[in-house]
Structures are given as C-alpha cells and as structure tokens.
Amino acid sequence: MGSTNSTLSKIPNVEELMRETGFSPAHIVRLYDRFESLDKEKTGHLRPEDFGAINRQDTVDFHSFVRILAHFRPAENNRPRDPSLPEPVNSRISKLKFAFQLYDLDKDGKISRAELLQVLRSMMEMQVTEEQLESIADRTIQEADLDRDDAISFEEFRKSLEKVNIDHKMSIRFLR
Amino acid sequence: MQPDSCSRGFMERGFLLLVVLMFLEGTVFPLGAASSPDISAPDGAGGHERNDDHRGIDNYTFPKKAFPVLSLDYGHIQMPFEISLWVLLASLMKLGFHLIPRLSGIVPESCLLIVVGLLVGGLIKLAGEEVPPVLDSKLFFLCLLPPIILDAGYFLPIRPFMENIGTILMFAVIGTLWNAFFVGGLLFAVCQIEGTHLSQVELLPCLLFGSIISAVDPVAVLAVFEEIHINELLHILVFGESLLNDAVTVVLYHLFEEYSGAGEVTLMDAFLGVICFLIVSLGGVAVGAIYGILAAFTSRFTSHTRVIEPLFVFVYSYMAYLSAEMFHLSGIMALIACGAVTRPYVEANISHKSHTTIKYFLKMWSSVSETLIFIFLGVATVAGPHAWNWTFVSVTVILCLVSRVIGVVGLTFIINKFRIVKLTTKDQFIVAYGGLRGAIAFSLGYLLDKDHFPMRTMFLTAIITEIFFTVFVQGMTIKPLVDLLAVKKKQEAKRSINEEIHTQFLDHLLTGIEDICGHYGHHHWKDKLNRFNKKYIKKCLIAGERYKEPQLIAFYHKMEFKQAIELVESGGGVKMPAAMPLQVSMQNIQPKKQPPMAADRALPQFTKNREEEIRKILRSNLQKTRQRLRSYNRHTLVADPYEDGWSEYMLKKQRMIELEKKMTQMSNYLTVPAAPSDSPTMRRARLASDPNAFYTIKAPPGNVPTIQVELASPQSPDSVNLVDEFSKKGGSSQKNTDDRKEEQGRMMKPPSAGKGGKGEEEEEEEEGENKNPGLLRCLSDPGPSNEDEEDEPFLP
C-alpha cells in the first residue's frame, strides 16, 4: 500500500481521474505502471509508435490513456444510477459511442461509405478485392441506414447492434 | 378453418392412428417372439431339414414330399427384421405425435415416447411373450448414443461454448462430483438407519450409485430443451455440462466398480482417480481431435469422389468414439472434439450436396436414436426385474433434487465472481431444473455385475424412477415455468452483416486493448489461435485456394446466396419490399446517379465494368452455400429463416443482368411459357427428375416478355422478369462456351425452382405463404447430372 500511495502522489489530478473513470487506486497504479513500461522514452506521453496507434490523437498522456481504457471496464448494472451524475464512462452507451468514434474518422457524427470502406480494408488485410469490399459496404449501409442518408448515424449504429451483448464484448476483466 | 377441412383432417388423423395401432399389435408378436427362438422356428425350415436328414439317411424308402412353393423362414431374417420393425415403430410414433397438436404442446415428446414404450412392453407381456432386453448396454453405447452425440458435436456452436467454457467445466466436473458424493454419502447414511432394512448396502456401492445417477444426461437435455427454445447461454450451459460430465462419470464409475469388491478406497486410489480423470478427458479430446484432423485432411482430396464425402465424416467420427471407448477414455468427449474440429475444414472442402447430406443424415440418425432410446426405456421398465423399496427410491429422488439445487447455487456464487455477464437467479433455477437424467444412467446401471452387486435390481428401480421423475415432472413443467418466469428466449432472427462486421471489429479492438494492458485475456488467445489456424492449419486441411478467404467474405457470400434463394423461391412476387430501398440500391449500382423513375423509364445505362462486377458477384454468390447453422433445433432441417424485409440488392443485380442480356441476345433465348400448359406440380416434377428437360422447353414464338424496371409496383411482372432472366441465362448456355455451361449447370437449381414458383404464382393468385417445400426439394436435389459442376473455386 505504501508504494501505491507514493505512486498515486506522482500523478496529478488523480482524484478527479478516479472519480471520472471509476477506477480504484490499485487499478490506477497498475495502469500507471503499464503506461510507464509502454512509454519507453519517459516523455510522459505515448506516441503511435509505442503501440501502433489505436486512436486519433498523436500522443496520449496518462489521463487520456486511463480515460480510454475506462471504456472497457465491465459495466455494473446493479447499482442504480443517479440520474444527476453524468453517464458513467463504461456504460453501454459510452462503449458504443467509443466504438462509433473509431469508425467515424472525420468526426462528423456519421459513418460514411468511405469511412466504412476504410475500416473494412484495414480489417481484411488485403485479402479481398476492392469490389467485394464495396459490395459489403453497400450492403452494410443498406441494412443499417434507416433514414436513407447513405451514412450510418450513431442511433442507427446503436440500433443495429442492439442484439449484440456489448457489455460482454467490450469489457476486459482485468480492469474491473 | 372450414369445418369440412377440419373434419377431413380429423378423419385422416384417425385413419393414421388406426394404422399405427394395428401396426403396434402386429409388431408385438414378432418382437415378443424374438426372445423365444424355439417357438419362432417355422415349420417350413424344420420340414426341410427333416426331409434332408431323412433323405440322407434313407434314400429309398422316404416318400418324396411335394415341392414347397411357399415357405416361411422367419429365423433367417429375424434380427434385421426386428431392428427395422423397432425403427419403423419409432418413426411412426414420431409422426403420430405431431398429428395431435395439443398433446405435443403440453407433453414433451420424450414423455410420450416413454409411454409408448411402456405400452409396447405391456402388450408384449400381455401376449405372453418375454420382453426382449432391448436397452442392452452394448447396443446403447455403441449404436444408439453415438449419432446423437455426433449430431450435437458437429453442430455445436463453438463461440458461445468457448466463451462459457469455464462455467461449463465448473458445473460439469465439480457439480457432478458434488452430486455423486452428496447423494451417495447421504444414501449410505440413510441405509444405515435401523428401520429401512437396507443395512447390507455398503458405502462403495452407494457411492457408485450416486455417481451413476448424478450425471446430467445429454439425450434428455437435448430432447426437452429443444422444445422450449431457451436463450443460447442457458442452453449451452446445461448442454455443455451434460456433455462434459461424461469424463467424470466414467472415472467415478470405474473407480467405484473396481474397488467395490475390495471394500475400501484409499487416498492413493483417489489420487490415481484424479490422474485418471485428466487422462480420460484430455485423452478423449485428443483422440477426437486427431481423427477430426484426419477427416479434414481426407476431405481435401475428395473433389473427384463427391458421393462418399459424407461417409468420411461419419466413419472417422465413429472410429474416434470407438477408439476412445477402447482405451476407456471418454467417448463422448472424443466425438464432440472430432465433430467440432472437423466441421470448419470439411465444410470448406466438400460440396454443397455433401454438406446437405451430412446435415440431414446426422439429424435423421440422431432423431431416430433418440426416439428409440426413449421407447426402449419404456420397454425396459416393463421388462426389468424390479425391487421396489420405498425408502431408497424416495430418498434418491429427493436427494438428487436437493443436491442439484445446492450444487448449482453454490457453484454459481463462485463462478459469478469471475464472469462478466453474471448468472441471475432465474438462470440458476433453469440450470438446476434442467438437470435431467436419462438413459445413460440406466445403461450404466444395467452394466453392473449381478454377482458383485446384489442390490442391482434395487438400483435399477431407483434409477428408472429418477429418470421418470425428471423426464416427466421436470420435463413437462419446465416449459410453463420458463414462460412464467419470463426467461429470455432464443433470438430467432439471424445475424445481420452489420453485426458481423462490428463484432469482428470489436474483436480486433479488444485484442489491441488487451495487448496494451499487458493482459493476456480471452481475446488475446483467441486471436493467437486464429492466426495459427490461418497460417498453418488451414493451408494443410483446406483444398485449393479457399483457405485465404476471410471469414467476413464467407459470411457475406452466405447472406447473398440465402437472399438469392429466397428471392427465387418466392418467384420475386410475394414479399417485395417497399419501393424506397430500390432507389437507394439503384443509386449504389449505377455509376451515373440518375433519379429513379416510373415504369416507362428507358433501360438504365451502366458501364461494362459494372456489368462485369455484378455478373461476377452474382456468379460467385450463387455457388456453393455454406449454411451456417445457428441453432441446433432438431426440428428445423431447413436452416434458412426468411428475412422480413430483404434488401433489394440481389434483385437489382439480377435485373441488371437480365437487362444486359436482353441487349446482347435478343434473339436467342428460351423462355418459360408464360401460361403454363401443364400444372406447376407436374412441371416441377418433370424438372426435378430430369433437369435437362429444361433445355427442351421451346419458347412459344413471339413471346417476348417486356422487361421493365418497375420500381414502384413490384408485382408479378417482376417475377416474370426474374424468371425469364434465368431462363435466358439457361438458354444462352447452349450457344456459349463450356465454362458458361458449367455455370449454367449450377444455375439450374434456382431456375427450376423459380419456374415452379412462378407457375404457382400464376396459378393461385397471390400466395401469402412463400414457404414451398416442393421448391426446397428441387433446390436441394437437382439430380445427378450436376455432380461435376461443384469444382469451381469458391472465390472467382
């Protein structure tokens, strides 16, 4: 516990971080250790080269690191949520929003066909032809697109995934 | 429902029931007579023998008997005849139950079958014959059980199984151990009580009994859970537990049986038992996996002998089971492992028809097996020597229930600490209540040696009572309870491509996140396994270039194919989605974004590249289908649920093709006669029996169907277009080169079905029902001439 406290004191604004993300002090410390091991140059920031970027920012400091990972905490359904508090970071909606943001590269609130194609391309790893990708993208948009604007908004995205157990899929037990 | 059709249906049902009952009567005597071979020796054969003997001894004085024109020789065919008779009885029973709709809704099939077995056994006994020992352990374990387990293993939904493997193993291993010791120990304690007169029952036989009766039975679970359509998680939990507890049961059974004679089990024996358990379970899985890989490897080379492809799957799996049983490993686990390992690779290699064959055969065999097992249970109940002991039996039943509940609750408490999606109380109740015992327990009890276990008959009685209790009481009440508790039911809708894409995407994402956290979790290992699979295994086991195909593409093709089939089956007429989607897809396809117009619009223009692409996509989509079975409900052999509002994409593509065909080959087409001269059934029959008949249909001259891109009102003109497009494709094959012909050969299936469907459309105005069994038969059975066309690579 002693080391925990000393590590905690090194991190600025740690209470606010804990409150925002819901992580326990032990978790924060664990993540900090991990962050430091990833941050090979000890700059206090992680660059895409450090782990082969997962999000849009060029660098990630510890707070963002923790915030992003907070999305993957297993959700707690039992605790009745206080409606005055903001939506917890690891609720289903937040997780879905996070996933949506990964698709929506230009951040216009919609997944356009081009963005979808890009995601598909990166997932398929060059094993399929462009035409097949386009067919799949067309089909995907057709299925999900309810308001016929040829793009998938967040609502449509959420609706198309309502049968999938997002809580299960986007949770890592480690971060409980 | 009209009153006359109702009464007609009633009469038909009554007639069939009468036939069934007469048949029952008729079968009683041969089946009963089977057990007493002396009586069944017919006169003719005996007469023959006597004649020959006499003739041999005394050639001259014996008068020549008249040449027997007709003689009866039952002994000659006795064994196969009886077997066939039983199978026929079982199948007729299955037919009969579905004729009485209310009954099959209330009472699960397994109960009805046991009752039938009781009836048959009773009839045999009444007839004075000795009831044959039908549930012989050898017959059961070697013939009746494997098909059911193979069916379960082959169609096991791997993903939910693996996701919950920890929970399943906990229930299977620790739950069964707990049950066995709890029941056995407490039974022994009860037996020691003065008033029960059971003091001669020692500890070890009690524990043996406990281990026999504590195992949840896969057959019973399958039979009952199938009908209640519970959600996937609970189904896989209970079912997985019933499969995996076989290893525990095997070890405990052998352990206690071995040492019952010696009278004690030392700590060393217990330790050896644990080792034995590991060997039994892991060894069984290993044996199954080896045979599975062999089967997959063999299937790589079967491209020229498609007809025997299913045989490899069946024989390798059966051999896996037998090999495991030879070493006293867990045969069930071997079979499951074999089926699960074989399936992904074999399915990529074999033809569509072989896949259908495997599916149908497995379902058929497992269905018959299950029916037979339950009937035999009934017969064996009547037959077996019974030693009823109120105390023993009632205590057994109560203890089994109690131990199951305590076990499930206790284990769930521990398991929930490790699960992300926790098991609620409702889930726990269903898991506990669904722990049915079945024929495996009975057969294991039957195997007991009479000399070593003098109380064998009492055990058997208790086992049978327990089985009856669980199957009847729990089986019948679980359905209303599920409804009462509003337990989540199975989701019937199939996966959309959105879900597939996003799920895969999330998998990738989670793997990355886990890497970042430095946490080697679920996704990490799954990803590693997938990579290993792709890199090494698929290359060895999958023929041709197919191993490179990513899962998403396969899924996409499956969906498209399914849609094409649905489209064709309904003749394109009945279930047409709204006009709006048409516009969207039109825009997607056309390079020039022309606004969609009304019916009198000119033919749309598109580039050659686009045509080519569409044609290629269509050709590849209409190739082999790999229908992924999403749920293993035995009653749905046709695993293609109809989508509610399909996208127009396929229709658009086909329309494009027909349009470009029209442009290039105006004069060389064969069309289906617009007004059918013969009834659709006849035409379907003709086409189904001889696909080549398609080529001989001449177009009535001057019958040029107008092709209109009708967007607003997709009614029967579209169906004409669709079918004509196919027919034109077929017609053009005679002029084109051979490789086109191959494609046409494959395209035969939809056209023949489509024509039949279209004919039906025209005959009867507008059918609300678009499920047409005739079409499906056409589709799945195009005839032997198409055998050679299956060799096209999956990806164009």
Side-chain angles (χ1 to χ4, degrees), chain B residues 13 17 94-106 112:
Chain B
R13 273 186 236 150
L17 274 176
K94 233 175 144 62
L95 271 184
F97 292 147
H98 289 283
L99 290 178
I100 316 172
R102 271 180 314 145
L103 195 61
S104 52
I106 303 173
L112 292 171

Side-chain angles (χ1 to χ4, degrees), chain B residues 534-569:
Chain B
K534 201 181 291 188
K535 199 159 169 204
Y536 299 110
I537 302 184
K538 277 193 178 171
K539 251 191 253 186
C540 296
L541 297 179
I542 297 187
E545 295 294 303
R546 281 181 227 145
Y547 65 91
K548 290 210 201 100
E549 181 182 271
Q551 181 193 350
L552 197 58
I553 295 291
F555 182 81
Y556 173 68
H557 281 139
K558 264 180 243 174
M559 288 199 79
E560 293 288 303
F561 186 87
K562 240 180 262 182
Q563 259 201 351
I565 298 273
E566 288 160 12
L567 196 67
V568 160
E569 276 172 11

Side-chain angles (χ1 to χ4, degrees), chain B residues 647-714:
Chain B
S647 83
E648 274 301 288
Y649 197 44
M650 284 307 297
L651 181 59
K652 285 296 112 208
K653 281 189 215 164
Q654 284 142 15
R655 207 169 275 154
M656 297 315 140
I657 291 186
E658 97 205 7
L659 290 170
E660 65 101 16
K661 276 284 161 24
K662 165 120 174 85
M663 289 192 299
T664 55
Q665 296 162 12
M666 261 297 225
S667 53
N668 321 331
Y669 58 81
L670 298 169
T671 58
V672 177
S677 48
D678 46 344
S679 73
T681 19
M682 278 204 50
R683 194 181 332 126
R684 250 207 316 278
R686 178 160 36 93
L687 285 172
S689 59
D690 178 17
N692 289 320
F694 169 58
Y695 290 108
T696 64
I697 298 173
K698 289 292 173 234
N703 186 5
V704 178
T706 45
I707 300 174
Q708 293 186 354
V709 182
E710 288 237 334
L711 302 176
S713 60

